C-alpha cells in the first residue's frame, strides 16, 4: 500500500506539472497581446522535450520557428497514444490509486473518475480550446490536493502520499531549470525566468519583493532557497525531512501503513 500511495502522490504532481506547462504554452499561442509570448515559447518547448512530452527535434527549434514548433507540439501532446502525454500520466495515476482506494477519501475516487473521463476525451490541439480543457483538469487536480489536506488523517498513508508529491515536485523544479534551457543558455534568460515563475505560481511573490524587472539571482533565490514558498526546492526538502522523521519504524514484518 505504501508504494501505491507514494506513486499516487508522484503521478498527481506530475499531471499537475504537465497541465501547468501546457496551459502556459496554449495561452501564449492564443493570446497575441501577451508580451514576450514568442520568446517564452522557446523555454516551454525545451522543457516539454526534456520531460519526454515531445520529440527533441521539435523541442530544440530556434525562436524563429517557435510558434510553428509549439503548434506541432500541442498536436503531439493531444495524441492519446503519446506515452509522454497528459492522458498517459492520468492513466498511471488512476492505476496507482486503484489498489489503495480504501486508504483514500471516498470523494478522492469520485474526483479521479471524473478526471479520467475528462482526460479520455479527445484533446483538441487548438490552443484556445486546449486551454479551456486544461483549466477544467487543473481544477480537478486541485480538488485532489484539497482532499489530501482535509480528508485524510495524518498517519503513514497520508505521509507516503505527501512524500510522493513533494519528491516529484522537487524533481520537477530541478528538471524545469535544466529543461527550460536556462542553465545551458539555449533559451533567453528573462524568457526562461518568466516561464519558471509562472509554472511555480510565484509571480506575485516575486513582484512583491522585486517590483522592477526579472533578474536571475532573485528568481533563483525564491524558487530554490526560500523555504517559506510552497513551490520552492527548499520547501520540498524541508517537508520531506519532516515527514520521514514521523514515519513509524520498520519492524521484522515490514512497515504497517494505516
Amino acid at each position: 500500500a505504501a508504494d501505491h500511495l507514494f506513486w499516487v502522490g508522484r503521478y498527481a504532481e506530475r499531471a499537475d506539472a504537465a497541465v501547468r506547462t501546457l496551459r502556459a504554452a496554449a495561452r501564449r499561442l492564443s493570446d497575441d497581446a501577451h508580451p514576450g509570448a514568442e520568446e517564452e515559447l522557446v523555454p516551454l518547448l525545451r522543457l516539454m522535450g526534456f520531460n519526454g512530452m515531445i520529440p527533441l527535434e521539435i523541442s530544440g527549434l530556434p525562436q524563429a520557428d517557435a510558434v510553428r514548433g509549439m503548434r506541432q507540439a500541442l498536436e503531439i501532446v493531444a495524441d492519446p497514444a503519446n506515452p509522454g502525454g497528459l492522458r498517459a500520466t492520468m492513466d498511471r495515476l488512476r492505476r496507482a490509486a486503484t489498489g489503495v482506494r480504501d486508504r483514500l477519501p471516498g470523494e478522492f475516487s469520485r474526483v479521479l473518475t471524473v478526471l479520467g473521463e475528462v482526460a479520455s476525451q479527445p484533446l483538441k490541439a487548438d490552443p484556445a480550446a486546449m486551454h479551456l480543457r486544461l483549466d477544467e483538469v487543473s481544477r480537478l487536480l486541485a480538488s485532489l490536493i484539497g482532499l489530501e489536506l482535509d480528508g485524510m488523517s495524518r498517519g503513514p498513508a497520508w505521509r507516503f502520499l505527501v512524500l510522493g508529491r513533494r519528491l516529484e515536485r522537487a524533481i520537477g523544479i530541478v528538471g524545469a531549470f535544466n529543461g527550460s534551457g536556462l542553465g545551458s543558455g539555449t533559451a533567453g534568460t528573462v524568457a526562461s525566468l518568466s516561464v519558471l515563475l509562472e509554472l511555480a505560481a510565484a509571480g506575485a511573490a516575486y513582484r512583491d519583493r522585486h517590483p522592477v524587472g526579472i533578474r536571475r539571482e532573485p528568481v533563483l533565490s525564491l524558487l530554490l532557497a526560500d523555504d517559506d514558498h510552497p513551490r520552492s526546492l527548499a520547501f520540498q526538502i524541508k517537508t520531506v525531512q519532516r515527514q520521514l522523521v514521523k514515519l513509524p519504524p520498520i519492524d521484522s514484518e515490514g512497515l504497517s501503513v494505516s
Side-chain angles (χ1 to χ4, degrees), residues 81-185:
N82 179 4
L86 179 61
R87 183 170 176 178
T89 301
M90 294 295 186
D91 286 343
R92 295 184 188 104
L93 170 59
R94 177 183 51 78
R95 288 196 296 270
T98 298
V100 286
R101 288 182 183 273
D102 59 328
R103 312 273 185 175
L104 299 168
E107 191 65 26
F108 197 100
S109 295
R110 286 189 285 273
V111 172
L112 271 182
T113 299
V114 175
L115 193 55
E117 292 171 354
V118 173
S120 65
Q121 297 170 10
L123 188 64
K124 296 181 179 179
D126 173 69
M130 178 177 282
H131 197 281
L132 289 174
R133 175 70 65 79
L134 292 170
D135 282 346
E136 185 178 3
V137 174
S138 179
R139 286 191 293 270
L140 290 167
L141 288 169
S143 297
L144 294 182
I145 296 175
L147 290 168
E148 290 174 22
L149 292 174
D150 292 338
M152 297 182 70
S153 62
R154 293 333 190 227
W158 179 79
R159 298 192 193 286
F160 276 107
L161 196 63
V162 171
L163 283 169
R165 184 179 287 279
R166 294 301 176 179
L167 283 170
E168 183 68 29
R169 186 172 294 183
I171 293 169
I173 292 167
V174 176
F177 276 93
N178 290 329
S180 65
L182 180 64
S184 62

Side-chain angles (χ1 to χ4, degrees), residues 29 37-42 45-46 58-70 72 186:
L29 283 180
E38 186 172 321
E39 186 179 1
E40 290 171 5
L41 288 175
V42 176
L45 279 171
R46 302 287 186 271
I58 294 178
S59 68
L61 289 172
Q63 183 178 329
D65 297 319
V67 173
R68 175 179 62 83
M70 185 57 78
Q72 287 182 281
T186 59

Side-chain angles (χ1 to χ4, degrees), residues 22-32 34 37 40 127 131 198:
L22 293 173
R23 287 174 75 194
R27 186 165 69 87
R28 283 161 175 79
L29 283 180
S30 59
D31 182 6
D32 295 334
H34 182 85
E40 290 171 5
H131 197 281
E198 179 178 338

Side-chain angles (χ1 to χ4, degrees), residues 200-224:
Y206 180 84
R207 288 189 295 272
D208 283 344
R209 304 176 191 185
H210 310 281
V212 181
I214 294 177
R215 293 181 292 119
R216 183 186 182 97
E217 288 73 18
V219 172
L220 294 180
S221 177
L222 174 61
L223 299 185
L224 296 180

